[in-house]
Amino acid sequence: MHVQLFSCSALLLFSALIISVSAVGGLFKTYIPSLKSNVDSDKVLSVGATDFPFPQDLRYPRQVHLSVGEYNGDMVATWTTFQNTKGVVQYNLQGTSLWKDANATVTLFTDGGTEKRQLFIHRATMTNLKPAKFYNYRVGNEDAGWSAIFSYRAPITGPDWSPVVAIYGDLGNVNGRSIGRLQTEAEMRSIDAVFHVGDFAYNMEDQNARIGDMFMDQIESVAAYVPYMTAVGNHERGYNFSNYRNRFSMPKKGGDGEGLWYSFDYGPAHIITINTEVYFFQDITGPGLIGRQKKWLKEDLKKANENRAERPWLIVLGHKPMYCSNADADDCTYYEGFIRYAFEDLFYDSGVDIYIGAHEHSYERSWPLYNRKICNGSYDHPYTDPSAPVHIITGSAGMYAEHSDFTKDKPFWSAYRARNYGYNKFHISNSTHIFVEWVDDELNGKITDSFWIIKSKHGKGTYDCHLRQGKRW
């Protein structure tokens, strides 16, 4: 009898805790890292922002995430409410008691689904930050409540630091295998930022954008601690990419204003994010975006080359790769794919150092490569002063589908490839060295591939691969 009474009491206490957490937090996160692809995701992910059985305040801040600001050194906090309310970010330097306030702009986003659900997207910029110092922050307001207190390290404005960036694409709600390790990396400060190279949630517009809500809740454990920088992928195309364009806050002054393409400086690197999907969904986007992006890209590359003395590394992110050895019919498997035709000559002529794609649910790196020809620096040191860009595919952070298979025989241009779940870490060490690692989530975070890219010179006209005699295919 005593044991039974204790069990009942414990159950009542646990129930009370659930109710109190639900009332404050608004929604349990149903992320299940080991969920297999044959699970009915519609049933697993059926709880939405306004469907939770316990009472909740629809003004409560959710889906908190960071991004770099319009001006180098600023940090932007973005969050969502499901009822219009004032938004404020409060932040302070760790170890001090004085909180600064920054008011948010609020944008109404009406999803394109049948329910026409309304989300209120809040954006607030934290300014006058002391570089490399740690700050606490929270978002919300006194009436609706405040989020948990998160923290971040303020960006360093100049080139003389060594950022470490986690890079991946193709991360879904179901089977998001890399989330746990990325959360640890972000909270332990072993990464400074995340670059997510397209394909979110699978898909953010599904179930009247409730899948998008759950994905944004899921990545909060990472994105609330480090800038979460994004590129658009094919799985964002629903309702003309509207969930992507509204939910994230990428720099406007360096791009199209909606995060479809943009650029920013980060340490000794200039980062360019392009929209590869304009070549595949003109029926959705219209043909004009191709010309607009190309004009902007040429101008941005020109400005970047004028500034190579300060930001020598030039890294481009785009969802679809130029080269791959996967056993499918994707664009990168064709001899003259759209992406290669659109960008390869421009990137080569502009001295782009690295092109990073995703889309294929695998990891692959090339030898330095141009026009289907290897142009290594030397036989013994292929990545030391190479004469062509290096191509990397990192699209296996985890989603409901299985891995992308490779062709049986590895082509000669492919230096390394792996089917396991995982992500890359880029250590942008200084003006001459970048260290690249592949973190294998199926081997408990073991680094199964790593290499240095070493360059004593950067810039337009530094490659001579087109003059070399070599094998093509």
Side-chain angles (χ1 to χ4, degrees):
M1 177 66 71
H2 178 72
V3 174
Q4 290 176 339
L5 287 174
F6 177 80
S7 299
C8 291
S9 300
L11 180 60
L12 288 171
L13 177 60
F14 182 68
S15 299
L17 287 171
I18 289 177
I19 293 172
S20 64
V21 169
S22 303
V24 174
L27 177 67
F28 283 125
K29 298 174 185 175
T30 59
Y31 161 64
I32 304 173
S34 61
L35 212 54
K36 302 299 182 183
S37 60
N38 60 354
V39 174
D40 186 342
S41 61
D42 287 341
K43 293 179 181 178
V44 173
L45 302 175
S46 62
V47 179
T50 58
D51 295 333
F52 204 81
F54 300 120
Q56 60 173 327
D57 191 333
L58 300 181
R59 302 171 301 166
Y60 186 80
R62 295 258 305 278
Q63 308 170 18
V64 182
H65 53 285
L66 295 172
S67 56
V68 300
E70 294 292 330
Y71 298 97
N72 205 348
D74 292 349
M75 192 76 85
V76 176
T78 305
W79 67 98
T80 299
T81 62
F82 297 95
Q83 183 176 319
N84 194 11
T85 186
K86 179 183 178 181
V88 177
V89 60
Q90 291 188 332
Y91 60 106
N92 71 352
L93 183 67
Q94 285 188 359
T96 66
S97 58
L98 179 64
W99 289 86
K100 298 180 181 179
D101 288 5
N103 292 326
T105 61
V106 185
T107 304
L108 171 62
F109 166 46
T110 302
D111 175 61
T114 57
E115 296 179 23
K116 305 300 178 188
R117 291 180 62 237
Q118 293 188 337
L119 290 73
F120 295 89
I121 311 299
H122 302 250
R123 295 177 173 89
T125 302
M126 292 169 276
T127 60
N128 299 316
L129 305 173
K130 295 183 177 180
K133 299 297 184 181
F134 288 97
Y135 283 79
N136 298 321
Y137 76 101
R138 64 181 184 176
V139 303
N141 62 56
E142 293 289 350
D143 294 331
W146 296 100
S147 70
I149 295 178
F150 303 105
S151 62
Y152 62 86
R153 187 172 78 149
I156 299 174
T157 56
D160 298 325
W161 65 293
S162 305
V164 181
V165 183
I167 307 181
Y168 55 84
D170 303 77
L171 176 66
N173 279 11
V174 177
N175 197 32
R177 296 289 289 273
S178 294
I179 280 289
R181 200 172 311 282
L182 288 164
Q183 177 181 352
T184 300
E185 298 250 37
E187 294 184 359
M188 296 298 292
R189 313 296 179 189
S190 57
I191 57 174
D192 296 293
V194 164
F195 298 166
H196 186 149
V197 195
D199 282 6
F200 305 77
Y202 292 86
N203 298 315
M204 287 196 287
E205 76 274 8
D206 285 358
Q207 296 185 24
N208 290 282
R210 290 182 176 85
I211 296 299
D213 291 335
M214 302 197 103
F215 179 79
M216 300 305 294
D217 281 327
Q218 175 177 302
I219 65 167
E220 183 182 89
S221 60
V222 178
Y225 294 92
V226 296
Y228 201 91
M229 309 305 292
T230 60
V232 67
N234 55 296
H235 277 272
E236 285 70 74
R237 64 185 180 273
Y239 310 117
N240 195 12
F241 300 88
S242 60
N243 269 267
Y244 173 85
R245 290 187 289 111
N246 282 276
R247 291 181 184 269
F248 294 104
S249 305
M250 298 300 108
K252 291 184 178 181
K253 67 182 180 68
D256 75 313
E258 295 185 305
L260 295 177
W261 60 80
Y262 62 95
S263 67
F264 62 101
D265 295 328
Y266 207 63
H270 183 68
I271 310 298
I272 297 176
T273 297
I274 61 171
N275 179 1
T276 59
E277 306 317 300
V278 295
Y279 294 91
F280 301 91
F281 299 105
Q282 293 184 49
D283 57 328
I284 297 173
T285 64
L289 287 189
I290 292 177
R292 281 180 55 203
Q293 176 175 244
K294 201 64 170 286
K295 181 177 184 293
W296 166 83
L297 180 59
K298 290 179 178 179
E299 292 174 354
D300 197 78
L301 287 167
K302 182 176 183 293
K303 292 177 182 177
N305 272 310
E306 292 170 353
N307 196 39
R308 291 296 273 270
E310 182 174 355
R311 313 277 181 176
W313 291 101
L314 188 48
I315 301 171
V316 180
L317 312 173
H319 181 62
K320 287 195 170 72
M322 295 186 199
Y323 297 94
C324 66
S325 64
N326 298 91
D328 53 37
D330 286 342
D331 181 67
C332 51
T333 65
Y334 289 95
Y335 190 87
E336 292 292 349
F338 282 110
I339 303 307
R340 183 171 163 254
Y341 180 80
F343 297 111
E344 186 174 37
D345 285 346
L346 178 61
F347 291 169
Y348 176 82
D349 293 340
S350 301
V352 168
D353 298 298
I354 308 168
Y355 178 67
I356 303 171
H359 191 61
E360 306 298 329
H361 299 161
S362 53
Y363 165 63
E364 187 166 21
R365 67 172 163 92
S366 75
W367 300 114
L369 193 61
Y370 169 66
N371 194 22
R372 296 186 172 271
K373 184 169 64 177
I374 292 174
C375 285
N376 292 345
S378 67
Y379 183 83
D380 293 325
H381 303 285
Y383 296 105
T384 298
D385 287 325
S387 194
V390 177
H391 295 255
I392 293 175
I393 299 172
T394 178
S396 59
M399 47 84 70
Y400 68 86
E402 296 298 328
H403 301 291
S404 295
D405 289 329
F406 289 111
T407 57
K408 182 179 179 181
D409 297 319
K410 183 166 73 73
F412 76 96
W413 57 264
S414 178
Y416 184 90
R417 59 186 190 175
R419 291 179 71 249
N420 285 5
Y421 296 112
Y423 57 94
N424 280 106
K425 287 177 71 174
F426 273 56
H427 304 252
I428 310 175
S429 301
N430 52 40
S431 63
T432 58
H433 289 65
I434 287 181
F435 185 56
V436 182
E437 297 177 296
W438 169 248
V439 181
D440 193 317
D441 275 315
E442 294 187 42
L443 296 176
N444 298 315
K446 181 179 179 181
I447 306 300
T448 55
D449 183 47
S450 63
F451 65 104
W452 284 96
I453 301 176
I454 302 172
K455 301 192 74 170
S456 60
K457 56 182 179 180
H458 303 263
K460 181 179 176 66
T462 56
Y463 293 146
D464 65 357
C465 185
H466 61 291
L467 301 175
R468 297 187 185 185
Q469 298 296 319
K471 180 180 178 182
R472 298 179 71 238
W473 70 99

